[in-house]
Amino acid sequence: MNEEEIRSFLSSFPDGWDELLKDEKNKTYYQNLLLSVSKKYLTEKVYPPYEKVFSAFSYTSVDDIKCVIIGQDPYFNEGQANGLAFSVNKGVRLPPSLLNIYKELFNEYSYPIPKNGSLESWARQGVLLLNSSLTVKEGEPNSHSKLGWETFTDDVIKIIDSLDRPIVYLLWGNYAFKKSSLIKSRKAFIIHTAHPSPLSASRGFFDSNCFKRCNEYLIKNDIEPIDFQIKD
């Protein structure tokens, strides 16, 4: 792994997204971001692995987007972050927020709470699991939030909004809800709840019916609902 290799990888977005974001990569802020992030990977422990930074875009194509879930930044402990917001790889212990997400799914659908923390099946059905910052230093939450990632992901949200088609935005917590100011389309359906973290889940995430409300909106617009059940 070297700086040029990392910069080259982060200069190309997955199929479909590359065309949509072609102007983004040429902006000054993104060129500076590339420089900063590639150096970080060489000088500190950074998550997720650089090959996983764009996993959210790899698993969810532009044409398939039905729902956008916005997280803050990747998990900052070893072996957790996989490039999908709130998700961990199968076999990794469930983080508390993800466990609470599963508890709410049990409340709504009576789905058994799985041990599998991978949300890849959601992503493949059109759920864009987008963190605002796409990288983080080990042990330091929000450590890369000032590098330019938020400018990039805010622009991604604006571009998705410009598609002007029915899309659900699950905004969990006040941080995610701030992103609602970027969403202008009348076809967007914003669902704002408390964050699923143990500190706030009981204050408006549990019993919010956010997943059922998401699917009700999709069905209303003749879009196939999302199967939110995760199997072990």
Side-chain angles (χ1 to χ4, degrees):
M1 177 174 73
N2 57 54
E3 190 175 333
E4 185 178 341
E5 180 184 341
I6 297 167
R7 281 218 309 272
S8 175
F9 183 87
L10 297 179
S11 296
S12 180
F13 306 112
D15 289 347
W17 289 100
D18 207 52
E19 176 63 23
L20 201 66
L21 300 172
K22 63 183 179 182
D23 294 333
E24 213 65 27
K25 68 176 72 175
N26 296 319
K27 293 180 180 178
T28 301
Y29 91 85
Y30 196 77
Q31 291 301 312
N32 292 335
L33 172 63
L34 286 179
L35 205 61
S36 298
V37 172
S38 58
K39 289 182 184 299
K40 295 287 187 186
Y41 270 102
L42 297 177
T43 58
E44 59 190 39
K45 192 75 171 177
V46 175
Y47 301 126
Y50 76 90
E51 316 95 272
K52 300 289 186 182
V53 167
F54 293 140
S55 287
F57 305 110
S58 296
Y59 288 120
T60 308
S61 72
V62 175
D63 292 336
D64 290 342
I65 299 173
K66 300 176 183 178
C67 173
V68 179
I69 296 178
I70 298 173
Q72 196 155 346
D73 61 348
Y75 295 119
F76 52 82
N77 293 321
E78 186 172 3
Q80 289 186 308
N82 62 11
L84 301 176
F86 295 99
S87 173
V88 293
N89 289 330
K90 192 171 184 177
V92 176
R93 184 177 179 181
L94 299 181
S97 292
L98 182 56
L99 178 59
N100 284 338
I101 289 169
Y102 287 167
K103 287 178 179 178
E104 175 57 19
L105 282 166
F106 175 79
N107 291 339
E108 295 185 31
Y109 290 104
S110 299
Y111 292 154
I113 295 176
K115 294 179 181 178
N116 176 14
S118 173
L119 302 180
E120 183 182 323
S121 67
W122 291 9
R124 291 189 182 281
Q125 293 178 79
V127 181
L128 183 68
L129 296 159
L130 182 68
N131 279 316
S132 288
S133 292
L134 299 188
T135 58
V136 69
K137 181 181 179 181
E138 182 178 46
E140 295 186 22
N142 297 321
S143 49
H144 288 185
S145 61
K146 305 301 183 185
L147 297 182
W149 278 129
E150 288 201 47
T151 302
F152 172 69
T153 53
D154 280 359
D155 283 354
V156 168
I157 293 168
K158 292 175 188 174
I159 290 168
I160 293 171
D161 183 61
S162 72
L163 299 174
D164 199 32
R165 64 176 196 245
I167 294 174
V168 179
Y169 294 82
L170 289 179
L171 306 182
W172 296 332
N174 291 330
Y175 175 84
F177 186 64
K178 290 177 183 177
K179 305 298 182 181
S180 63
S181 64
L182 307 172
I183 303 165
K184 309 294 185 183
S185 172
R186 293 183 179 181
K187 296 177 183 177
F189 181 41
I190 295 173
I191 300 175
H192 176 220
T193 72
H195 195 277
S197 76
L199 295 175
S200 57
S202 61
R203 300 200 298 268
F205 179 74
F206 290 143
D207 300 317
S208 65
N209 283 318
C210 58
F211 298 105
K212 279 192 172 180
R213 289 159 64 197
C214 171
N215 274 338
E216 285 168 359
Y217 184 76
L218 295 176
I219 293 168
K220 178 182 174 183
N221 285 278
D222 298 319
I223 298 170
E224 186 175 354
I226 297 156
D227 180 2
F228 285 109
Q229 184 171 9
I230 301 293
K231 298 177 176 65
D232 283 325

